[in-house]
Amino acid sequence: MACASARAQAPALLYTSDRLTARCAKGSWYYVSTDKKTKTGIKAGTYGWVSASYLDIQLCLPENVECPYNR
């Protein structure tokens, strides 16, 4: 199972124009889903971890959202 790690290999590429929804945060990592198909072909509704350093966060998360830490 994948987890948030700077050492993990990136399974896909995202562009700055790709829109994501942050589902939860763990430290400086966000568990996100794609809002629609990305420029590189990632399907809408795909989930994964992204480092906050790669995100332009425009909305805050509620504090009580469950996070799939061990998925």
Side-chain angles (χ1 to χ4, degrees), residues 20-37:
L20 307 171
T21 298
R23 303 295 177 178
C24 66
K26 179 181 180 187
S28 64
W29 289 85
Y30 285 84
Y31 190 66
V32 300
S33 65
T34 53
D35 292 345
K36 61 181 183 176
K37 187 176 177 181

Side-chain angles (χ1 to χ4, degrees), residues 7 16 20-22 26 28 33-34 38-39 41 45-46 52 57 64-65 67-68:
R7 293 184 299 268
T16 55
L20 307 171
T21 298
K26 179 181 180 187
S28 64
S33 65
T34 53
T38 68
K39 286 178 75 171
T46 300
I57 300 168
N64 59 351
V65 176
C67 202

Side-chain angles (χ1 to χ4, degrees), residues 8-13 42 49:
Q9 183 176 345
L13 180 66
I42 302 169
W49 290 96

